[in-house]
Amino acid sequence: MEKKYEKFIVHQFDDNYSMIHIEIKDNEEFYKSLFECFFTEDKLIKYAENKFNLKFSPTKTNFTTLYKHLKTYIDDFNKDEYTIDEIQEEMIKILNEEYTIEDRNGKLKVRIDKIGKIGEYIFTCILNEYFQFQCILPKVHLQTSYNMSIYGIDTLFYSEDKEMLLFGESKVTKKLENGISLINTSLEEYESRIKQEYELVLSNRLYKDKLNKFNDKYGKIVDIALDIEEFIEKAQVKNIGIPIFIAHGNQTDINEIMKKLKTIKRNNILRIKYYILCNIITNY
């Protein structure tokens, strides 16, 4: 099945989606189109306020809000240190292909810029506007430092129609294969990560009034559920989904993309029924 979304062509196969936008001959035009699609004032203010019925108006308050939000993407990058013997050989290979790294005194110094935050932002726009899911809380709002990456689950969404909670994972890589490898590595620990996300975010009373539809429907149940298993039972949650977003730049054959996306592991996590696989092809 083929659909249209903004400037993208969406290819759907079962619950796999690939969103294609390729302008290989003109990098500048490609990135211009990408920013026109996702980085409009309307989309940015909706994300910053976590209210998807907003329209941007040129007020001092709104411009200040956008400026503060955009600072999270454009400030100085940092470097994370990892001990070499703590990293699997496959991960070192991926880091070498995807990032600029330095080896100093037995430690890898990895350049980490804001690309992960941009991926999380674009992913959020797609989940809300294309799939019509409601964002529970943008993860960038939980940062205490501009140099922080998005920690924990990348996106938290709720589908009112499907009565489904969604815990999303996003990766931005040069190679699709690397994105899939990183996703599979994340999914190995996903059950424990979902449990932590429930305890640290969804059941955190400090965030209670900021969780929108989730709090409206489940707030009283969260108050009496000790963990996510008890919450699922008491709330009678029908489905839990894991939407996956991989933005990459080296693959254009839709059949090959769909074939590779099927290699993403589908482990039995809690009561998860299915994954939604989102894939944007970009041009590096």
Side-chain angles (χ1 to χ4, degrees), residues 47 50 52 120 123-125 127-128 133-142 150-159 164-170 190 193-204 207 210-214 228 240-243:
Y47 180 86
N50 196 24
F52 282 83
E120 182 264 348
F123 192 20
T124 295
C125 292
L127 289 173
N128 178 261
F133 299 146
Q134 296 88 42
C135 182
I136 295 174
L137 181 69
K139 293 305 295 292
V140 75
H141 289 186
L142 303 182
I150 301 296
Y151 291 134
I153 302 295
D154 290 337
T155 59
L156 292 172
F157 273 76
Y158 174 65
S159 171
M164 177 171 61
L165 294 177
L166 299 109
F167 300 85
E169 190 73 11
S170 65
Y190 225 63
R193 291 176 63 189
I194 288 175
K195 290 178 180 180
Q196 289 179 11
E197 201 74 12
Y198 174 80
E199 293 174 3
L200 298 177
V201 179
L202 295 180
S203 64
N204 190 326
Y207 302 141
K210 302 180 183 298
L211 301 181
N212 295 331
K213 290 283 185 181
F214 178 83
I228 192 168
I240 295 178
I242 300 181

Side-chain angles (χ1 to χ4, degrees), residues 77-84 87 92 95-96 99-112:
F77 61 81
N78 62 6
K79 290 186 178 182
D80 278 358
E81 284 193 359
Y82 300 93
T83 303
I84 290 178
I87 302 179
I92 294 176
L95 288 172
N96 272 299
Y99 301 100
T100 302
I101 67 173
E102 303 171 16
D103 183 357
R104 294 182 178 179
N105 301 320
K107 288 184 179 291
L108 291 178
K109 302 274 284 186
V110 183
R111 181 188 187 278
I112 297 180

Side-chain angles (χ1 to χ4, degrees), residues 187-227:
L187 291 179
E188 289 176 2
E189 301 177 345
Y190 225 63
E191 181 165 314
S192 63
R193 291 176 63 189
I194 288 175
K195 290 178 180 180
Q196 289 179 11
E197 201 74 12
Y198 174 80
E199 293 174 3
L200 298 177
V201 179
L202 295 180
S203 64
N204 190 326
R205 292 187 64 82
L206 293 177
Y207 302 141
K208 187 177 177 67
D209 295 334
K210 302 180 183 298
L211 301 181
N212 295 331
K213 290 283 185 181
F214 178 83
N215 183 57
D216 294 343
K217 186 172 180 64
Y218 299 118
K220 292 181 180 179
I221 298 174
V222 168
D223 288 342
I224 60 173
L226 292 175
D227 52 35

